Amino acid sequence: MPAPAPPGRRARKKAATRQALSDAALRLFLARGFADVTVREIADAVDVSTTTLMKHFPTKEALVFDRDDEIERALVAAVTERPAHSSAFDALRAYLRARVARAVPARVRPFLELVRTTPALSDHWHKMWLRHAHVLARALARDLGRPASDATCTAMAHLVLEAAALAERSAHPARTLEAALAILEHGWPRAAKPGRR
């Protein structure tokens, strides 16, 4: 199978403009706050029109999250391209551990703080992240030979993504992720003492 042809000049220029807009938006948002930066200011920083900006990013929030398609492909690949000896759950756990580990270094903390402290961005990120649940559910269903609408696969996809969302919003992301995934894998731990009746 031949390698795909490299993108043409027009595609490269479009990708460069998109990246420049995203970079300028993040730089301005980090410096002044999300609410205090206008779409026009971002477009002016890259010397394009607001119409051009909106063709690349339909909302102001989308400027901050420009890797949505890439994230979805990586999630599906974690299941479909995992080693033969590994379960789908193990592969997702490894993917999410790596994702949480990337959120720890100091260089990404300002970005995470911006998202966590800006309700519009936090809400957009959460909805965007959970949009991947139906694609992940279909990948899990194919892996198990079940119908695309299988309720167990749908529930597992949603709960795994919620576990990651909870971890990334936590003060202790790795610990929170492990606790959430342990519950998904093994169920609620039996209490050492009986509860109230």
Side-chain angles (χ1 to χ4, degrees):
M1 185 177 196
R9 184 168 180 255
R10 185 175 178 185
R12 291 196 308 272
K13 186 175 179 182
K14 186 176 178 181
T17 300
R18 180 180 173 84
Q19 187 63 55
L21 286 165
S22 179
D23 291 346
L26 186 57
R27 186 174 63 252
L28 290 167
F29 293 156
L30 289 173
R32 291 169 36 205
F34 180 78
D36 292 331
V37 176
T38 67
V39 169
R40 178 173 290 284
E41 287 178 284
I42 298 164
D44 287 347
V46 183
D47 197 24
V48 299
S49 68
T50 54
T51 302
T52 297
L53 183 150
M54 298 306 285
K55 285 179 182 175
H56 289 279
F57 299 98
T59 67
K60 187 177 170 185
E61 291 82 5
L63 281 154
V64 179
F65 305 103
D66 61 335
R67 296 177 53 233
D68 199 25
D69 292 342
E70 180 185 331
I71 288 169
E72 187 167 283
R73 285 193 299 273
L75 260 173
V76 171
V79 173
T80 60
E81 299 174 18
R82 70 185 191 273
H85 64 277
S86 177
S87 71
F89 189 83
D90 287 340
L92 284 170
R93 180 185 0 243
Y95 171 81
L96 294 177
R97 280 176 174 166
R99 181 181 168 87
V100 165
R102 286 194 300 270
V104 172
R107 63 187 173 78
V108 300
R109 283 185 198 143
F111 170 77
L112 293 175
E113 188 65 16
L114 174 71
V115 173
R116 288 172 181 152
T117 59
T118 307
L121 291 178
S122 183
D123 185 57
H124 182 85
W125 171 81
H126 192 245
K127 287 177 180 175
M128 182 189 76
W129 177 239
L130 290 183
R131 273 203 307 267
H132 303 310
H134 71 282
V135 175
L136 179 57
R138 286 202 302 269
L140 290 169
R142 278 195 306 273
D143 184 70
L144 295 172
R146 297 184 178 187
S149 60
D150 181 76
T152 299
C153 294
T154 299
M156 181 54 75
H158 184 86
L159 292 171
V160 163
L161 295 183
E162 280 287 14
L166 178 66
E168 291 186 14
R169 289 175 167 175
S170 165
H172 305 285
R175 192 186 316 162
T176 303
L177 179 67
E178 295 304 326
L181 293 179
I183 291 170
L184 288 179
E185 186 174 22
H186 304 294
W188 187 255
R190 295 180 63 86
K193 296 179 182 178
R196 292 183 181 177
R197 292 185 182 270

